[in-house]
Every structure is written in C-alpha cells, then in structure tokens.
Amino acid sequence: MCGIVGLFLKDKTLEPKLGAMLSEMLVSLSDRGPDSAGIAIYGATTGNEAKITVQSPKADRDFRGLDVELAKAIGAPVSVAVNSTHAVIRTTPDKVDAAREALQTLRPDIRIMGAGEAVEIYKEVGLPETVVDRFHVRSMTGTHGIGHTRMATESAVTTMGAHPFSTGADQCLVHNGSLSNHNNVRRELIRDGMKFETENDTEVAAAYLSNRMAHGKNLGEALEGTLSDLDGFFTFVVGTKNGFGVVRDPIACKPAVMAETDQYVAFGSEYRALTKLPGIDNARVWEPEPATVYFWEH
C-alpha cells in the first residue's frame, strides 16, 4: 500500500502555489506509506539551461567546491544550489551528459535523482511531512508535479528505493502496486541499453516508458504499452517536461481518484488528497477506468 498524487496546472496564477498544494496532497496520505517519500516539481524552462538533481549521504563533503571542479571538468559554467542532502546542478543543455559522467569520477558517492530542463526531484527516507519540510517543497513553484509516499514490500527502504524514479530527461514515475515480470523486462531493457540503479520494480516501469519514448512513442502510446507488456497490479502517475499521465492495470484493484476544473487536473490514491484543492466542490471527480490512459500536456 502506497500513496501517490499528481497535479497538473492549467491556470498560471496557481504556479507559485504548486509546491504547497502538492505537499498538502501528499501529507494527507502519510498513513499509506511510512517508509520514504518524494516529490518531482516541474518548473519553467529557458531553453539555455539544464538541471541535474543529485543526492549525497555526505552532502557537506560532496557538494563543497563541486561547482568549480565540475565546471573545469566539462568546460562550461556550472552552479550548484544545495538543499539539505540534495543539490540542483545547473549547466548548459549540451553538457548534461558530460556532467553526469564527470560526477562519477569527481564524486563517486553522489547519486543522480533526475535530470532535464524542467524537473527537480527530492526524495528521502521518512514521512511526507518530514521530506517536504526538509527540502522546503511548500515554497517551490512550477507547472506540474507528482509525489509518492512508500510502504516498502519488495526492496529495501533507502533513498534510491524511494519514488519518483527518473530514467530519462524530464521523465519520472510514481507507482502503487507490484509488478510480477519486472526481472524479465529489466533484462530486455538492459539488452537495449538501459541502465538501472536499484532492484525496484518501479524503476523498471519508468525505464520501460523512457525506452519506448526514446523509440519514438509519445507518452500516451508508451503508457498504452504497459497494459500488454507489464504484468501485475499497478497504478502509474507519470511526469514529462510538458505533460502528466495516468494509467491503471486492467483489474485496477489499487485505489485512484481524479478531479478536473478549469484550473487544474489532480490525481490522488484517495479523495482526501484532493479535498483542500481550490474549487474541488465544483470539480468533475471520477475514478479512472481500468486499462485506460489519461494524459494532459501544456
């Protein structure tokens, strides 16, 4: 049993409140997962800047002087904004791959949470309220985001085992459920060049979508593929640079509810996650259908 949330804003006046709204949604589901929690926030893009969110168990050591060393290694400007155990590294989009490679040499203990032009991912062991307070998520702005509170069932309780999982640029996924064929799918994806950081089945689902999109599928088509290629019980909520998607398996035994107004589209594992959203009393509220893909894009 885990709790997942998602919020896609249509109304730009709500963007300064995205972090606060998403945090409130996630905290309301704390009892669905006491082990770890995480949030992905999608912000505005400039076209000339990319971000890499990283985590270190020894942040004071690993983040000190990293901007200077990394800039020298990749031959491009670098800034590093530290946020507790995480930091957001900013550089030019053409240097992201070089920066990721250089980090492995310069700071081997650093773990990459996600990268892209829009996304920042913050996740740690602990309850949602602890995590959102630790990273000051309530003050963050953005266009859309997803979140997760985890009850571990098939892998260790660690930072890397927490959701969201990101396996492609500006792509991430949260999951409630369990996949039965993730080992076979992982092997197939590795043969196709995908790399994995954990044994978590959710990372396989994220990598499946990234792989399909790398082969020319759009988000909706990639989500359709999960219905035939992934076995088990699942509800996925996915973020991309411009979009937000939801799909449930054909049996749909994991709880889910959605709401839509002129201002936003919202998802929660339970309705209580939506109750404090503006205009919820007049929203169209429904349970997403089994084996049905829903997605929205800016």
Side-chain angles (χ1 to χ4, degrees):
M1 182 174 73
C2 298
I4 52 180
V5 297
L7 186 60
F8 178 88
L9 299 180
K10 303 177 185 180
D11 183 350
K12 285 186 173 296
T13 66
L14 290 179
E15 291 180 6
K17 302 177 182 178
L18 176 69
M21 294 165 70
L22 199 60
S23 295
E24 185 69 38
M25 293 169 70
L26 190 60
V27 169
S28 74
L29 298 179
S30 295
D31 61 347
R32 294 190 62 86
D35 300 324
S36 56
I39 280 183
I41 298 285
Y42 287 85
T45 61
T46 64
N48 57 10
E49 181 182 79
K51 299 183 285 187
I52 307 171
T53 310
V54 297
Q55 185 269 356
S56 172
K58 298 179 179 179
D60 289 344
R61 179 200 66 187
D62 282 340
F63 297 152
R64 188 184 308 118
L66 181 58
D67 53 348
V68 175
E69 294 178 51
L70 191 56
K72 182 178 179 181
I74 67 174
V78 170
S79 68
V80 177
V82 177
N83 189 348
S84 186
T85 58
H86 288 45
V88 177
I89 299 169
R90 289 176 168 83
T91 188
T92 56
D94 62 315
K95 293 295 186 177
V96 169
D97 290 342
R100 294 180 70 132
E101 186 174 342
L103 283 168
Q104 294 177 0
T105 301
L106 295 172
R107 300 290 193 275
D109 291 334
I110 277 181
R111 311 301 292 271
I112 294 175
M113 302 288 100
E117 294 184 27
V119 72
E120 297 179 15
I121 296 175
Y122 301 90
K123 59 183 186 178
E124 276 292 1
V125 172
L127 288 166
E129 187 154 17
T130 301
V131 172
V132 300
D133 286 347
R134 182 175 199 167
F135 298 113
H136 312 288
V137 176
R138 289 185 176 90
S139 64
M140 294 181 182
T141 66
T143 57
H144 56 296
I146 63 177
H148 185 274
T149 183
R150 182 178 184 224
M151 180 177 287
T153 57
E154 42 61 53
S155 61
V157 179
T158 64
T159 300
M160 293 304 292
H163 304 207
F165 280 92
S166 179
T167 53
D170 283 316
Q171 298 170 20
C172 65
L173 176 147
V174 294
H175 169 208
N176 183 20
S178 180
L179 302 180
S180 57
N181 68 334
H182 62 96
N183 287 323
N184 289 337
V185 176
R186 183 185 287 107
R187 284 191 289 268
E188 293 173 4
L189 291 170
I190 289 172
R191 284 195 291 268
D192 203 26
M194 298 297 295
K195 296 180 180 180
F196 292 86
E197 298 284 346
T198 74
E199 296 299 315
N200 193 292
D201 60 339
T202 303
E203 187 180 14
V204 173
Y208 172 88
L209 293 177
S210 296
N211 179 266
R212 293 300 179 265
M213 293 173 75
H215 282 80
K217 304 293 187 183
N218 63 30
L219 174 59
E221 292 167 336
L223 288 171
E224 287 281 358
T226 66
L227 298 170
S228 57
D229 293 341
L230 301 183
D231 293 334
F233 303 117
F234 58 83
T235 297
F236 297 138
V237 178
V238 180
T240 67
K241 181 166 70 172
N242 300 315
F244 162 85
V246 174
V247 67
R248 302 171 81 195
D249 69 80
I251 297 175
C253 66
K254 297 300 180 181
V257 62
M258 300 195 71
E260 183 171 14
T261 72
D262 291 340
Q263 293 183 295
Y264 59 80
V265 181
F267 174 95
S269 291
E270 299 180 37
Y271 179 73
R272 57 179 157 144
L274 313 180
T275 56
K276 294 187 179 180
L277 292 174
I280 190 64
D281 291 341
N282 298 314
R284 180 173 77 93
V285 179
W286 77 99
E287 180 181 351
E289 294 290 333
T292 302
V293 171
Y294 301 83
F295 70 100
W296 292 260
E297 289 185 313
H298 288 120

